[in-house]
């Protein structure tokens, strides 16, 4: 019992000591805290105590603060609507204002909790001065606004520069082309050709600089369209073959036949990177060869990564310079600029484009031995078959009416000259307003323009607004509209598709390119799904691709004549001498079409066709086969079709007849 009492006494003493000790330590903590603490009686709103940090912030001694109403210093604006006492919230955690003794407002971050002290409800306010943070935040907001404004003015400047540069370039290049169509002496022709060559070189540099600035300003949009990888690759490489051959270099394209599928991505930008690397390879190689290859690297889900290489046997790059050549304006040594020319931007742009396309770029090289550039690009794999494009016949343009809308008089003249050359009936106006007047006048007369060419950058009413007005007022019925632009802005293609604009070309525009685009717009039938189809520079380029045709013909003269006709239409011809040879050639390469002579030694056309069709039953696929025969008697077509052929042509072959048949086979 005694022991128990002693134990209780000791416990009480310990407890009292603890209270004294904890009070003392609490005071020490309050004193030492950098956070301001103010204790407020909840009922009277008077300040009961403050710690030195709070007194410091308020700028008055403790005695002048204690006993005052809290709102005199803390949250002066909240009087009568204090969240914690008036609105009865549990805690208040917020940014508030502290009013100093001098009447200065300081932003504070404040936490309030309710505690019971001596049987009364008190509020413990703890707060820190956040004026520095606030200033930083304000600074950040200002900096962000300035950056947005700067980027905005940069992109406006870019669009402006692009317009300002391309407009006169269009004038120079367009007039040069028109001049070349007139009667000129040999000497004059030579001069004009030099102008054309020089303006094309200048355009390449301008495009590089504009591209570079666009990517820097993050204003470059990638296209996302479906294209055939193999065709784009082969066409790009072959477009530089002449240039390589002029220097006595071999240019070899290496693409495995199984890569003949469609992908979705930006073919124009892929082409740009390839052209830049191949151009460099040609530039920096004096003898030997340039090999360009592509391989599938990985496939995951619908994503497919392709690995491209461009290898040369040229001057190579010293090891210590390898890392810098992808940097802007970098060239291995300054003398290269004088010797080889160039801006030093090509690889930088290529590297930026490759990164935008989800890949990377690198180089291996040995001085004096050559360089091997690698890059990868990620595409979406497409299962669909590529579509064939059909051009309208040139004669169809004759007497077609066209309206040209452009504020620039030289551009109007250039376009007018081109359309006139093609026997169209053009009319040119200088503004959207004038265009609407023309269109409405025509409508009243029950007519419409077959074609409307609209410049996108015009003062007052720009091209897109004009097209919107045309559609809204349904003036033009179904005029075919093409947009011509000199700055290629973000989202333009999407807007064109939405508005039903059929073509979109970037100035300066080549005569042949405009003609191709117009023929394509009129050639492709307007099925509903085709409204999505926008004829662009890439489309024109791709549509020019020829078919790979296997020509089965035993007669040497006919072989020559027929292949020349086919090549004139841009097709690639391989010759087989008989049916057996057809089967052998098909094992080596893939073809788009077979033109099959019916009578051939060893194995005739019918037998070869039956053999091909029976193999296709196992392997899948269906290659179109057109029979060629001199037997044009009735019922012969049926015989050909029964043998598994798609159609037949009567000899002698005529270019236009073959083209029409090819178009009808591939368009069906
Ligand atoms: P440009 O060719 O316009 O000078 P690039 O950015 O395309 O600019 O190339 C930068 C530099 O890299 C070139 O000036 C050259 O010194 C070097 N270079 C690029 N490709 C090759 C190559 N295939 N062989 C040797 N040097 C090269």
């Amino acid at each position: 019992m005694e022991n128990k009492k002693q134990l209780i006494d000791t416990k009480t003493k310990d407890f009292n000591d603890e209270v004294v000790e904890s009070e003392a330590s609490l005071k020490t903590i309050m004193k030492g805290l950098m956070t301001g603490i103010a204790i407020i009686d909840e009922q009277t709103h008077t300040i009961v105590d403050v710690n030195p940090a709070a007194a410091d912030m308020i700028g008055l001694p403790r005695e002048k603060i204690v006993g005052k109403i809290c709102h005199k210093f803390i949250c002066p604006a909240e009087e009568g609507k204090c969240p914690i006492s008036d609105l009865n919230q549990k805690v208040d955690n917020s940014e508030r204002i502290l009013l100093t003794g001098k009447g200065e407002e300081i932003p504070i971050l404040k936490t309030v909790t309710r505690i019971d002290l001596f049987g009364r409800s008190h509020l413990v306010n703890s707060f820190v001065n956040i004026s520095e943070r606030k200033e930083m935040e304000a600074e950040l907001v200002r900096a962000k606004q300035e950056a947005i404004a700067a980027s905005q003015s940069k992109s406006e400047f870019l669009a402006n520069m692009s317009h300002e540069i391309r407009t006169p370039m269009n004038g120079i290049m367009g007039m040069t082309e028109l001049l070349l169509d007139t009667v000129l002496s040999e000497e004059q022709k030579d001069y004009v050709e030099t102008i054309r060559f020089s303006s094309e070189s200048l355009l390449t540099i301008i495009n590089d600089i504009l591209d570079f600035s666009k990517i820097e300003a993050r204003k470059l949009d990638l296209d996302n369209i479906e294209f055939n990888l193999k065709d784009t690759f082969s066409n790009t490489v072959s477009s530089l073959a002449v240039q390589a051959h002029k220097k006595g270099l071999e240019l070899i394209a290496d693409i495995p036949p199984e890569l003949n599928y469609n992908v979705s991505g930006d073919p124009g930008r892929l082409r740009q990177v390839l052209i830049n690397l191949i151009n460099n390879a040609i530039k920096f190689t004096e003898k030997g060869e340039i090999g360009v290859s592509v391989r599938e690297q990985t496939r995951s889900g619908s994503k497919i990564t392709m690995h491209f290489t461009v290898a040369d046997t040229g001057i190579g790059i010293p090891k210590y310079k390898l890392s810098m050549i992808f940097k802007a304006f970098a060239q291995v040594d300054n003398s290269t600029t004088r010797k080889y020319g160039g801006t030093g931007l090509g690889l930088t742009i290529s590297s930026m484009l490759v990164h935008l396309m989800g890949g990377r770029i690198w180089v291996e090289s040995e001085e004096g031995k050559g360089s091997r550039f690698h890059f990868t690009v990620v595409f979406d794999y497409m299962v669909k078959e590529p579509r064939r494009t059909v051009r309208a016949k040139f004669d169809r343009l004759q007497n077609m009416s066209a309206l040209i809308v452009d504020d620039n008089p030289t551009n109007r003249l250039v376009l007018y000259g081109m359309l006139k050359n093609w026997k169209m009936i053009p009319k040119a106006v200088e503004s959207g307003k004038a265009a609407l007047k023309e269109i409405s006048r025509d409508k009243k007369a029950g007519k419409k323009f077959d074609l409307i060419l609209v410049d996108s950058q015009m003062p007052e009413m720009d091209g897109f607004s004009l097209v919107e007005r045309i559609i809204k007022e349904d003036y033009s019925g179904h005029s075919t509209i093409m947009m011509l632009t000199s700055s290629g802005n973000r989202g333009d293609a999407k807007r064109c598709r939405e508005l039903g604009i059929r073509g979109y070309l970037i100035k300066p525009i080549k005569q042949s390119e405009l003609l191709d685009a117009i023929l394509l717009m009129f050639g492709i039938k307007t099925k509903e799904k085709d409204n999505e189809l926008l004829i662009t520079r890439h489309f024109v380029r791709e549509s020019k691709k020829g078919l790979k045709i296997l020509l089965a013909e035993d007669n040497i003269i006919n072989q020559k004549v027929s292949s020349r006709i086919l090549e004139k239409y841009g097709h690639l011809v391989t010759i087989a001498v008989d049916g057996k040879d057809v089967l052998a050639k098909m094992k080596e390469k893939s073809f788009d079409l077979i033109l099959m002579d019916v009578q051939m030694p060893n194995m005739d056309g019918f037998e070869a066709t039956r053999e091909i069709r029976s193999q296709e039953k196992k392997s899948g696929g269906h290659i179109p086969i057109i029979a060629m025969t001199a037997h044009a008697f009735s019922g012969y077509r049926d015989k050909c079709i029964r043998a598994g052929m798609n159609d037949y042509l009567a000899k002698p072959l005529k270019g236009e007849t073959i083209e029409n048949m090819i178009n009808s086979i591939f368009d069906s």
Side-chain angles (χ1 to χ4, degrees), residues 341-380:
T343 54
L345 276 180
L347 286 177
T348 315
I349 294 169
S350 298
S351 155
M352 287 164 151
L353 289 174
V354 164
H355 283 108
L356 281 175
M357 294 191 285
R360 63 188 197 94
I361 188 166
W362 70 100
V363 59
E364 300 162 316
S365 183
E366 203 176 318
E367 225 178 330
K369 295 228 165 117
S371 314
R372 180 179 288 268
F373 282 83
H374 302 256
F375 68 96
T376 55
V377 176
V378 181
F379 297 109
D380 275 314

Side-chain angles (χ1 to χ4, degrees), residues 517-561:
I518 293 175
L519 292 178
L520 279 167
M521 288 198 305
F522 286 116
I524 290 161
K525 294 181 199 103
T526 332
K527 294 177 208 145
E528 229 159 76
K529 64 177 167 55
D530 279 345
N531 281 343
E532 278 286 294
L533 196 69
L534 182 66
I535 310 292
T536 58
R537 178 167 290 166
H538 170 76
F539 197 97
V540 170
R541 221 179 254 141
E542 282 296 287
S543 68
K544 275 186 115 60
K545 72 181 179 215
L547 293 175
K548 281 162 287 170
I549 297 179
L550 183 58
L551 175 73
E553 168 71 72
D554 62 317
N555 181 298
I556 294 180
I557 294 181
N558 282 349
Q559 282 173 3
K560 272 199 184 141
V561 174

Side-chain angles (χ1 to χ4, degrees), residues 403 435-443 452 470 475-476:
L403 181 65
L436 288 172
K437 223 186 211 168
E438 285 295 334
I439 295 169
S440 98
R441 186 183 310 149
D442 254 28
K443 196 190 173 194
I452 305 179
I470 295 176
Y475 276 147
S476 66

Side-chain angles (χ1 to χ4, degrees), residues 167-204:
T167 306
M169 278 307 282
N170 196 46
I172 297 170
M173 295 179 86
M175 283 297 176
T176 309
E177 289 209 58
L178 288 178
L179 194 55
L180 279 169
D181 281 344
T182 61
V183 183
L184 296 174
S185 71
E186 276 310 305
E187 193 184 8
Q188 287 167 329
K189 208 167 164 196
D190 219 40
Y191 293 160
V192 183
E193 285 287 3
T194 311
I195 300 177
R196 170 150 76 175
F197 178 76
S198 309
S199 52
E200 273 169 11
S201 313
L202 179 59
L203 184 65
T204 316

Side-chain angles (χ1 to χ4, degrees), residues 280 283-284 312 316-317 325 330-332 342-347 371 373:
N280 274 349
K283 192 157 82 172
F284 296 108
D312 64 54
I317 302 161
I325 55 167
Q331 289 175 325
V332 165
T343 54
L345 276 180
L347 286 177
S371 314
F373 282 83

Side-chain angles (χ1 to χ4, degrees), residues 226 261-263 381-387:
E226 189 180 337
Y261 45 63
N262 274 17
V263 292
Y381 178 72
M382 309 295 287
V383 194
K384 275 190 291 166
E385 276 292 298
R387 57 171 301 122

Side-chain angles (χ1 to χ4, degrees), residues 530-655:
D530 279 345
N531 281 343
E532 278 286 294
L533 196 69
L534 182 66
I535 310 292
T536 58
R537 178 167 290 166
H538 170 76
F539 197 97
V540 170
R541 221 179 254 141
E542 282 296 287
S543 68
K544 275 186 115 60
K545 72 181 179 215
L547 293 175
K548 281 162 287 170
I549 297 179
L550 183 58
L551 175 73
E553 168 71 72
D554 62 317
N555 181 298
I556 294 180
I557 294 181
N558 282 349
Q559 282 173 3
K560 272 199 184 141
V561 174
S562 307
S563 50
R564 199 151 299 154
I565 292 173
L566 293 166
E567 278 162 3
K568 222 177 100 190
Y569 279 84
H571 302 300
L572 263 159
V573 184
T574 305
I575 291 171
V577 291
D578 57 34
K580 284 214 164 104
D581 199 19
V582 167
L583 300 178
K585 292 266 160 46
M586 283 182 77
K587 280 205 182 93
E588 287 166 23
K589 275 204 257 177
S590 67
F591 296 97
D592 302 311
L593 174 81
I594 304 177
L595 282 178
M596 184 91 82
D597 189 10
V598 175
Q599 281 171 316
M600 287 182 294
N602 298 324
M603 185 192 272
D604 72 11
F606 289 126
E607 203 184 332
T609 304
R610 274 192 291 272
E611 183 55 36
I612 291 168
R613 295 296 180 230
S614 99
Q615 282 179 12
E616 282 174 347
K617 275 202 184 115
K618 285 174 242 152
S619 62
H622 183 91
I623 186 163
I625 302 176
I626 300 175
M628 295 184 294
T629 175
H631 309 288
F633 56 82
S634 68
Y636 202 83
R637 186 169 185 272
D638 282 348
K639 191 174 173 202
C640 292
I641 286 173
R642 269 200 309 279
M645 290 157 165
N646 296 59
D647 213 327
Y648 93 104
L649 282 167
K651 286 188 189 175
L653 296 189
K654 281 206 194 83

